[in-house]
Amino acid sequence: MKYLLKNLNVYYKNAFQRADILIDNGTVAAMGSGLFVGGDAAVFDFQGACALPGLVDPHVHLREPGFEYKETVRTGTLAAARGGYTAVCSMPNLKPVPDSGENLKKQLDIIERDAAVTVRPYGAITRGERGGELADMEAMAPYVAGFSDDGRGVQSEDMMRLAMEAARDLGRPIVAHAEDEGLLKKGWAVNSGEYAKAHGLIGNDPESEWRQVERDLELVRETGCKYHVCHVSTKETVGLVRLAKFEGLDVTCETGPHYLTLTDKDLRDDGGFRMNPPIRSEEDREALIEGICDGTVDMIATDHAPHSPEEKSGGLAGSLNGIVGLECAFPVLYTKLVLGNITSLQRLIELMSSAPARRFGLPGGRIEPGEMANIAIFDLEREFTIDPSEFLSMGRATPFAGWRVRGKCLMTLADGKIAWRDADV
Ligand code: DOR
């Protein structure tokens, strides 16, 4: 099958240029102006829309196997494609937990059958993500992006040391959900701070995140393992990662769209504002912005974490942790960060595509003749309202519902195939 994508503003070698793209048998066969193909090609005229490298999300929850009532590999990856993503890394808090070759295979078979975009799972660090015993990391290593117990921190320092030594020997990163449970109050709902006090809610102390990052960085120093911090939400974590990089440790980190654009002053008593870690203070938000501008924060992940409507219907105090993000992350960030003059579109592409692709060895991150097409076409002029009822994800909870944003995904080509196409194309 051939596709001729005409009149694009193509992001190529860090700059935009007007060009058409010819996709032949999944690969970018030619790029240039006035391309012509006769016969069997499907031709699309994009009238100046932008062709970006497909977005890459290093942190999503696809919920299958085990929690298909929340999301499936099919619905989650269709949501990814609709948001402009061509590759995602899926988290292991599943049933069964991918903690052995056999359990991982169950997930890989579903991915093989149903995924609309590239999915590279993480293997668990510990058996059942229970923290007591190492998972069979060796059996999983060839198939995974790294190892994570996302949803829970690894509480035992000795266990984390063993995991880092094994991950180092296998050449895979440890992808840490950093959370010291000893520093958490039972029943927390929001960041500890003004909002928690004013509304009589139990607060989550920022220290529960950064203390565990601090511990882990000491272990990285000791073991020499590749280390990535998930959903960074506190200014202290940004500072720790900055120093670790300066020191030369092989450390990267991600933050989420909600931590960059919201603070606990924006909270509403709505399950769409409840996630772990929670949205924090203005000072934390500013530190994260500084981090994405100076390179301390390497990438932006949605932490797409769908739950059923019932599970999200209990307001801040009574909902499960987790919001969806795949279908609105790019327009939210483009509107707030790029149109808001905080960072360049080039930097946003690095944060949302090239950097995660490189770090986790995923396809994409660039548009290059001769390579498989992993391309997201966005109309950056188009303004629209985020309406969760239109999501392809089964999850609907997002703090961005109702936001007016710019940057609509018109088409996504993942691994050479059209994975999403807007009705207007
Ligand atoms: O908000 C969250 N939801 N944070 C996590 O760490 C886990 C995730 C989930 O699996 O729902």
Side-chain angles (χ1 to χ4, degrees):
M1 187 67 202
K2 283 186 192 157
Y3 304 117
L4 181 57
L5 316 177
K6 291 197 71 72
N7 294 316
L8 288 164
N9 219 350
V10 182
Y11 189 71
Y12 178 61
K13 295 198 190 299
N14 302 321
F16 283 95
Q17 61 183 61
R18 282 303 272 248
D20 304 335
I21 301 179
L22 176 66
I23 315 281
D24 187 359
N25 208 11
T27 58
V28 177
M31 222 161 71
S33 40
L35 291 188
F36 174 80
V37 270
D40 59 348
V43 182
F44 301 94
D45 186 345
F46 286 103
Q47 298 168 10
C50 286
L52 309 183
L55 306 178
V56 176
D57 193 333
H59 191 141
V60 305
H61 297 267
L62 296 178
R63 306 302 194 199
E64 194 183 6
F67 302 94
E68 293 82 355
Y69 72 96
K70 298 176 195 264
E71 187 84 292
T72 64
V73 167
R74 186 73 194 151
T75 57
T77 55
L78 284 173
R82 182 165 180 264
Y85 288 89
T86 54
V88 300
C89 298
S90 62
M91 283 299 173
N93 48 350
L94 300 168
K95 216 161 58 190
V97 170
D99 56 7
S100 65
E102 192 190 339
N103 284 351
L104 176 67
K105 180 148 190 328
K106 296 191 171 105
Q107 193 191 346
L108 291 172
D109 288 346
I110 301 167
I111 291 167
E112 171 77 27
R113 191 187 67 204
D114 290 344
V117 304
T118 298
V119 180
R120 189 74 47 81
Y122 293 107
I125 296 174
T126 66
R127 292 265 178 209
E129 291 200 329
R130 284 188 299 273
E133 198 188 334
L134 277 193
D136 188 350
M137 293 165 71
E138 193 176 344
M140 296 189 286
Y143 312 101
V144 297
F147 296 100
S148 180
D149 270 4
D150 188 64
R152 289 199 66 187
V154 175
Q155 301 304 306
S156 150
E157 181 173 334
D158 289 341
M159 186 58 57
M160 192 52 134
R161 183 181 292 102
L162 285 177
M164 283 192 186
E165 285 166 355
R168 175 201 60 209
D169 295 346
L170 294 164
R172 291 284 179 281
I174 288 286
V175 176
H177 171 115
E179 182 172 34
D180 183 333
E181 291 168 11
L183 297 170
L184 282 180
K185 290 197 192 74
K186 214 173 145 44
W188 71 263
V190 295
N191 183 41
S192 62
E194 292 304 315
Y195 187 95
K197 264 190 230 131
H199 294 82
L201 292 168
I202 300 171
N204 170 304
D205 199 321
E207 201 174 343
S208 60
E209 174 181 296
W210 66 262
R211 278 283 177 210
Q212 194 157 89
V213 173
E214 188 179 52
R215 177 204 74 182
D216 284 356
L217 289 172
E218 191 54 49
L219 295 173
V220 173
R221 222 166 262 135
E222 212 180 288
T223 60
C225 143
K226 288 183 209 293
Y227 179 72
H228 176 84
V229 195
C230 292
H231 41 55
V232 172
S233 70
T234 74
K235 59 181 187 302
E236 291 86 354
T237 306
V238 176
L240 285 164
V241 171
R242 185 177 286 121
L243 283 177
K245 288 186 168 194
F246 191 67
E247 196 184 324
L249 302 182
D250 191 350
V251 171
T252 53
C253 73
E254 69 191 35
T255 189
H258 38 295
Y259 306 116
L260 291 166
T261 57
L262 294 164
T263 73
D264 53 5
K265 287 206 170 68
D266 301 308
L267 290 178
R268 295 212 312 262
D269 189 15
D270 170 334
F273 288 77
R274 170 85 197 247
M275 75 294 288
N276 185 23
I279 291 165
R280 302 220 186 252
S281 70
E282 177 60 17
E283 274 181 30
D284 293 301
R285 192 187 72 84
E286 281 168 13
L288 289 162
I289 293 280
E290 213 176 301
I292 62 164
C293 293
D294 76 2
T296 302
V297 176
D298 302 86
M299 56 194 88
I300 300 175
T302 62
D303 193 2
H304 179 86
H307 294 291
S308 72
E310 298 70 44
E311 290 168 334
K312 293 302 286 179
S313 67
L316 284 170
S319 295
L320 292 186
N321 284 318
I323 57 165
V324 294
L326 289 167
E327 288 168 86
C328 56
F330 183 85
V332 162
L333 294 168
Y334 176 69
T335 305
K336 285 287 171 188
L337 303 184
V338 179
L339 298 179
N341 286 323
I342 289 169
T343 188
S344 64
L345 179 55
Q346 278 85 344
R347 179 71 186 138
L348 188 63
I349 294 168
E350 172 74 13
L351 288 159
M352 297 186 79
S353 175
S354 324
R358 266 199 317 275
R359 180 62 161 170
F360 295 105
L362 295 164
R366 60 183 187 176
I367 299 175
E368 189 66 42
E371 291 189 359
M372 286 308 277
N374 283 292
I375 299 173
I377 299 172
F378 278 94
D379 181 347
L380 296 180
E381 302 300 322
R382 183 97 67 94
E383 193 173 2
F384 65 100
T385 302
I386 295 172
D387 177 0
S389 73
E390 292 173 356
F391 286 175
L392 299 180
S393 169
M394 290 162 69
R396 297 291 150 90
T398 164
F400 301 120
W403 279 35
R404 288 291 291 171
V405 289
R406 260 169 66 183
K408 193 159 201 317
C409 182
L410 301 179
M411 186 183 271
T412 304
L413 288 121
D415 198 28
K417 294 185 258 319
I418 296 178
W420 160 254
R421 183 176 157 185
D422 187 80
D424 291 351
V425 176

